[in-house]
Amino acid sequence: MVYSLLCLEHCDKAETQDPKPSFLETPVQIPPQSLDAVRPSMDKALSANNFSAMWQLKSRYGITLSAAQLKELLWQSLPPSFHWYVAPSAHNKIRMALDLMTHDDASKWVVCDFLKEVLKRGQSETVVKLLVDSQMLSENALKETFNYFISKGRFDDAKDIKEQYDVSINSVKLKEELVKAYESGYESGKGTWDLKRILSLYDKDNMPCIVTLRDILKTVAMQPQDYSPELLGQNRSNFFDNYMGFINTLLSHGVREQIAVDVAMTKAVSTLSHKGLKWAYELKTNYQAKIDPAKLRVAMDKVVDLNKLFLLELITPLFANGKDAEAAIIGSLERLASKPDQYFGGYRDAKQTLKKQLEKFDCWSLKAVNTLIKRAVENNDFYWADELNRKYNAYLDPETLKNHILKEVDYVKRKRHTQSDYLADLIAPLQLIERDNPGLPSVIQAAVDQICGMENFPLQQCIVDKLIKFSDSLPG
């Protein structure tokens, strides 16, 4: 009787259409009868796919689908070609079946079995989400669903299960997903984003997971640079970005492995890039990363050879102590001072660059400044040579002095100058040499002998006299 009254008007409606509130709220006039007499009506409504009638029976009498009825309805809802896309009709049938079921153990196992079937067929994640939201899944079913969402990359759905049901990823699955995230991130650049979501799925007190994270951090940090000679290759520039992002994410989640951060710092320095060196400093500052000073000195030499001098001040703070840093700076300055003018673009550029390096680091060696004063004299830049002598105690070596004298003599001879004023550039370097240098007298005498052996020219004797006078004024 109930079935007839309910179906008369609604049987011709779409089988998956939700009942309207007005229908549910309108009382149906039927004679009083026991619930046992009404229950067969649920079977009839089920066989006719009349969800409106089923909803009315539940609303009016509290009659719900038995486990057997629920199973029949759920399995009927599976379309023959059920895949990631589920037709709205099938999706609605499953949703309403779950709303109409009885919350008993038998129905719970029906839902769990149905979930297994859905997962086996690789079904739509939206259907799986419906089954999770039913709160009828067993612990094993929840774990299976949790892993299913992870395998599909639905990390947010997996996180919802973890937060609601306290299910967490195990160490084996964690390792698998981390490796996958790193490899996919190298190709797509999305590895860091996936990694952050994966790291939200493990139990922070799970020691096997903690050990796995440390191993992953170490493995990634120490992996060979197979992609290019340097981490920043021309065609693999995103490799370092992913490498850096992956390690930073693990470190920011509390994963610690000192060997890993030390290796990462070494690789960061090897990039010889602004980005890499900034990261190396962050690793040193935030995670006490250390690097072999010899490797930093090699990096500084390479920076000089590649004319990337702006990177020198990013490398020097990476030394563990000031003594090593100062030694490296002096070494780089000595290397820089020995570079030819063409390296800088000409002597004027060389002078500006070298002066800037001296002032920036405020440390030097006699070898470096003596090389610089030699360059200045060779370019007749006596103003800078005098400055180097006064500020840094730089001195000209005797051999360079001799070569300069002979060069100026040749110039004066060719020009046939007769005024002694033209000898200023010849005489100026005599003030830039250590007067007590034991090799100086013999060098002056050799220069005098060579000048005397030349063909006569106007200022020949004047030059010889000045040199002999200088030699006589030397100590001893």
Side-chain angles (χ1 to χ4, degrees):
M1 182 185 300
V2 173
Y3 175 72
S4 300
L5 290 170
L6 295 175
C7 288
L8 183 61
E9 182 180 353
H10 302 283
C11 279
D12 58 341
K13 292 188 177 181
E15 61 183 20
T16 59
Q17 181 177 337
D18 287 339
K20 295 180 179 179
S22 59
F23 172 73
L24 294 176
E25 294 165 2
T26 303
V28 177
Q29 301 298 324
I30 58 173
Q33 52 188 294
S34 66
L35 290 180
D36 289 339
V38 176
R39 282 196 179 94
S41 300
M42 183 64 86
D43 288 327
K44 293 180 180 180
L46 178 62
S47 64
N49 273 330
N50 190 330
F51 284 94
S52 294
M54 285 186 268
W55 271 105
Q56 185 70 1
L57 287 167
K58 179 182 179 182
S59 175
R60 186 67 59 83
Y61 298 105
I63 298 176
T64 54
L65 296 175
S66 66
Q69 291 171 325
L70 175 64
K71 182 175 182 179
E72 178 183 351
L73 188 55
L74 287 176
W75 256 260
Q76 285 179 355
S77 68
L78 290 178
S81 58
F82 200 58
H83 51 86
W84 69 269
Y85 171 75
V86 180
S89 60
H91 185 276
N92 287 340
K93 282 182 182 180
I94 295 169
R95 177 176 56 80
M96 288 189 283
L98 295 174
D99 288 340
L100 291 166
M101 69 179 171
T102 304
H103 286 73
D104 56 8
D105 288 342
S107 297
K108 179 177 181 177
W109 293 117
V110 168
V111 175
C112 291
D113 289 342
F114 183 68
L115 171 67
K116 290 180 180 179
E117 183 67 21
V118 170
L119 296 181
K120 183 174 70 176
R121 297 191 189 187
Q123 309 300 3
S124 166
E125 288 90 342
T126 58
V127 173
V128 177
K129 193 75 166 57
L130 277 177
L131 298 175
V132 173
D133 293 341
S134 72
Q135 299 187 341
M136 290 290 284
L137 297 179
S138 65
E139 183 178 351
N140 287 337
L142 285 168
K143 288 181 179 178
E144 190 173 356
T145 308
F146 180 76
N147 289 330
Y148 168 80
F149 279 137
I150 292 175
S151 66
K152 293 289 186 180
R154 299 282 293 260
F155 301 115
D156 291 336
D157 290 331
K159 184 180 179 181
D160 290 342
I161 294 178
K162 179 181 184 297
E163 293 177 348
Q164 190 171 358
Y165 300 103
D166 197 27
V167 177
S168 58
I169 193 170
N170 62 39
S171 59
V172 176
K173 187 68 174 174
L174 177 62
K175 181 177 181 179
E176 177 186 330
E177 291 302 319
L178 290 176
V179 171
K180 189 191 302 181
Y182 182 71
E183 291 176 348
S184 66
Y186 172 67
E187 297 298 334
S188 66
K190 297 180 181 179
T192 301
W193 171 241
D194 284 347
L195 175 63
K196 290 178 180 178
R197 297 192 293 171
I198 293 168
L199 291 174
S200 68
L201 303 178
Y202 83 97
D203 183 355
K204 301 301 185 290
D205 296 326
N206 187 316
M207 186 52 65
C209 285
I210 295 173
V211 172
T212 294
L213 289 171
R214 289 174 180 168
D215 288 343
I216 287 290
L217 176 60
K218 188 175 178 180
T219 299
V220 171
M222 300 181 71
Q223 67 172 341
Q225 296 170 202
D226 294 330
Y227 301 107
S228 63
E230 294 182 354
L231 286 176
L232 286 178
Q234 289 182 344
N235 300 320
R236 300 286 189 174
S237 59
N238 63 325
F239 172 71
F240 181 70
D241 290 338
N242 188 51
Y243 177 88
M244 179 174 64
F246 198 90
I247 290 177
N248 273 345
T249 302
L250 288 173
L251 292 174
S252 66
H253 277 73
V255 184
R256 294 291 182 270
E257 181 58 56
Q258 194 60 43
I259 294 176
V261 295
D262 291 349
V263 171
M265 182 181 183
T266 300
K267 287 185 181 288
V269 170
S270 75
T271 66
L272 297 182
S273 68
H274 186 274
K275 181 189 294 184
L277 293 172
K278 290 281 285 185
W279 185 43
Y281 182 75
E282 291 172 8
L283 291 173
K284 177 179 181 288
T285 304
N286 300 330
Y287 304 105
Q288 295 73 55
K290 297 181 288 295
I291 183 173
D292 183 355
K295 292 182 178 179
L296 285 176
R297 287 196 292 272
V298 169
M300 293 184 76
D301 288 346
K302 286 184 177 180
V303 163
V304 170
D305 292 342
L306 295 172
N307 200 4
K308 294 183 177 181
L309 304 182
F310 64 95
L311 295 177
L312 287 173
E313 56 188 321
L314 295 178
I315 297 177
T316 51
L318 302 179
F319 285 92
N321 59 71
K323 185 178 179 181
D324 287 339
E326 182 173 324
I329 291 170
I330 290 172
S332 67
L333 184 61
E334 290 175 353
R335 193 180 188 89
L336 193 60
S338 65
K339 293 291 182 183
D341 289 346
Q342 293 85 345
Y343 167 90
F344 302 91
Y347 173 73
R348 179 178 295 180
D349 293 334
K351 175 182 176 181
Q352 293 302 318
T353 300
L354 292 166
K355 286 185 69 173
K356 186 183 297 183
Q357 294 299 315
L358 276 172
E359 294 166 1
K360 181 185 297 181
F361 294 109
D362 196 31
C363 63
W364 63 90
S365 68
L366 283 178
K367 178 181 178 181
V369 294
N370 287 348
T371 301
L372 296 181
I373 199 172
K374 176 181 177 180
R375 292 178 69 127
V377 169
E378 288 174 345
N379 286 275
N380 284 17
D381 187 355
F382 302 111
Y383 180 82
W384 190 36
D386 183 63
E387 180 182 326
L388 290 167
N389 177 255
R390 287 184 292 100
K391 291 179 66 174
Y392 305 105
N393 293 321
Y395 290 101
L396 193 63
D397 66 282
E399 191 62 30
T400 299
L401 175 63
K402 174 187 170 184
N403 293 337
H404 175 76
I405 290 173
L406 295 176
K407 182 187 74 172
E408 288 298 316
V409 167
D410 182 68
Y411 175 78
V412 170
K413 177 184 173 185
R414 283 188 293 106
K415 295 295 184 179
R416 308 297 295 178
H417 289 307
T418 59
Q419 299 295 323
S420 60
D421 293 345
Y422 288 103
L423 301 180
D425 285 353
L426 186 151
I427 302 302
L430 296 176
Q431 309 305 317
L432 303 175
I433 195 164
E434 288 183 290
R435 296 175 65 83
D436 57 354
N437 189 310
L440 186 56
S442 61
V443 165
I444 296 296
Q445 185 60 51
V448 168
D449 292 343
Q450 282 189 251
I451 295 170
C452 290
M454 294 179 181
E455 182 183 348
N456 291 337
F457 59 93
L459 291 176
Q460 184 178 29
Q461 190 59 47
C462 181
I463 294 172
V464 170
D465 291 343
K466 287 181 179 296
L467 291 177
I468 291 175
K469 183 178 179 181
F470 174 76
S471 181
D472 289 343
S473 69
L474 294 176

